[in-house]
Amino acid sequence: MSSYLFCATYQDLTCDLRICRGHIGIEFRTKQRETEESMYFSLNPMQAKTFAESLQNMAMRIPIKEIKNTDVLGDLEVYTEIEKENNKKIYHKEEFPVA
């Protein structure tokens, strides 16, 4: 078990979301090169759905319009990548076409 604190509230972030082999990979990176940090984890689709819904519910409780000093908040850019489907037929030994 390990723990890692990644407080990025005041930093500009990049987030890469990837779907690969039925899992969702999430990588957060700070954009400052001199102090670049990153965190990567993967979730199955149900975990990702539960996390996204919970995060949305929590964000709805925060009165964002009341934040006065916007200079101290970081930006977030999100990029998505979906694994391309490979449409090749996989033959079982008994199914090989006769030459």
Side-chain angles (χ1 to χ4, degrees):
M1 174 98 185
S2 64
S3 298
Y4 182 68
L5 176 63
F6 186 71
C7 183
T9 303
Y10 306 108
Q11 300 180 42
D12 291 340
L13 291 176
T14 300
C15 178
D16 292 320
L17 301 174
R18 295 180 183 92
I19 295 177
C20 183
R21 289 180 257 150
H23 296 89
I24 298 171
I26 304 164
E27 181 180 14
F28 287 105
R29 282 188 319 281
T30 58
K31 293 172 71 177
Q32 294 83 2
R33 291 185 185 263
E34 63 278 358
T35 59
E36 186 172 317
E37 296 181 87
S38 66
M39 179 176 64
Y40 182 85
F41 58 100
S42 62
L43 300 173
N44 68 45
M46 285 305 296
Q47 290 171 323
K49 184 178 185 306
T50 301
F51 179 70
E53 289 172 353
S54 299
L55 188 60
Q56 184 175 20
N57 287 336
M58 294 295 288
M60 296 293 278
R61 295 176 183 267
I62 300 171
I64 295 175
K65 64 183 177 185
E66 293 179 16
I67 296 174
K68 304 287 188 223
N69 188 358
T70 57
D71 294 336
V72 298
L73 300 177
D75 188 23
L76 174 64
E77 294 177 1
V78 178
Y79 300 95
T80 60
E81 179 181 321
I82 299 174
E83 176 184 52
K84 292 182 181 176
E85 297 279 335
N86 189 350
N87 292 325
K88 293 181 182 176
K89 172 145 172 79
I90 300 173
Y91 288 99
H92 292 282
K93 191 175 186 178
E94 297 82 24
E95 296 181 51
F96 280 109
V98 178

